[in-house]
Amino acid sequence: MVLQDLGRRINAAVTDLTRSPNLDEKQFDSMLKEISNALVEADVNIKLVATLRTSIKRTVNFKDLPPSTNKKRLIQKAVYDELVKLVDPHAEPFKPRKGKPNVIMFVGLQGSGKTTSCTKLARWYQARGFKACLVCADTFRAGAFDQLKQNATKAKIPYYGSLTQTDPVIVAREGVEKFKKERFDLIIVDTSGRHQQEKELFAEMSQIQAAVSPDQTIMVLDATIGQAAEAQSRAFKDTADFGAIIITKTDGAAAGGGAISAVAATHTPIVFIGTGEHLLDLDRFDPRAFVSKLLG
Ligand code: GDP
């Protein structure tokens, strides 16, 4: 199910209810059921959906509503607020400041969109006056450095990497040191991903993290991975303790409920979402704006 369909279904459930001339509790319950089904089908964690349902019920408290209450508005607001809560962990993400080196390290599985998102983020900050650069610490995948080089060249972003050095920790350290000396504001370190959460990957991630002491670690999550997102993000959190999430491929065929559930599981804010394959396809994530757009 695509994200727009999820929004459409939730909207339709609320609209059907608010159009009804004699709004009763049975109708309210069936609206809640329809919203819950839509969220579960979009891969939002079933426990989170149950919590959302209970909270809306508690906030509206249908039975005890005085007859004069504007029930429709109350219900609409409760649904909106609970959806915002679902994607808002109330944690402030790190904000880079100009004039000092801010190091951001990316982690995530191979194919999640890490390298693409690194370049998008560097360009995003570059467009806002940051002196940004990229370090390729992925020595695992053949062609990783070439890909980063191509992306960086296209975006006119300075980069560092090595075709001969096989130790990613050394490359990461050298790259970050070089760019710090050159007074870059934003140094983004791309790390290797594997197909699974292998031991070696996690060991490598924590060594790189120790070597470059990032101000922020960002986990990249593919919106299409569904329910697996939660377990995956917990596993990454245990090792790399990321402070923010970027969800990629939100333009694709998945509603991204799994990725949204990862936010709640790890209490970590989504900072950006990837909306396509191109360099400019990156949007800042704002929970309220996201839910407003979702509901149209
Ligand atoms: P990495 O292995 O994690 O570094 O992943 P890549 O950056 O190489 O991305 C894997 C694939 O996903 C590439 O074909 C990218 O073009 C594509 N991709 C990354 N982000 C997005 C996005 O937001 N939307 C779409 N449609 N494709 C994306």
Side-chain angles (χ1 to χ4, degrees), residues 225-238:
I225 77 163
Q227 296 279 358
E230 204 191 318
Q232 189 195 108
S233 53
R234 276 189 208 276
F236 272 88
K237 185 89 182 172
D238 286 346

Side-chain angles (χ1 to χ4, degrees), residues 108-118 120 138 141 147 151 190-191 193 220 222 247-252 273-278 281:
L109 292 187
Q110 186 169 319
S112 59
K114 259 192 325 302
T115 305
T116 312
S117 303
C118 281
K120 285 178 178 177
D138 181 358
R141 183 166 62 94
Q147 188 193 346
N151 287 353
D190 189 13
T191 64
V220 176
D222 180 334
I247 297 181
T248 58
K249 309 182 195 177
T250 61
D251 52 309
I273 53 173
T275 56
E277 294 193 76
H278 297 288
D281 296 335

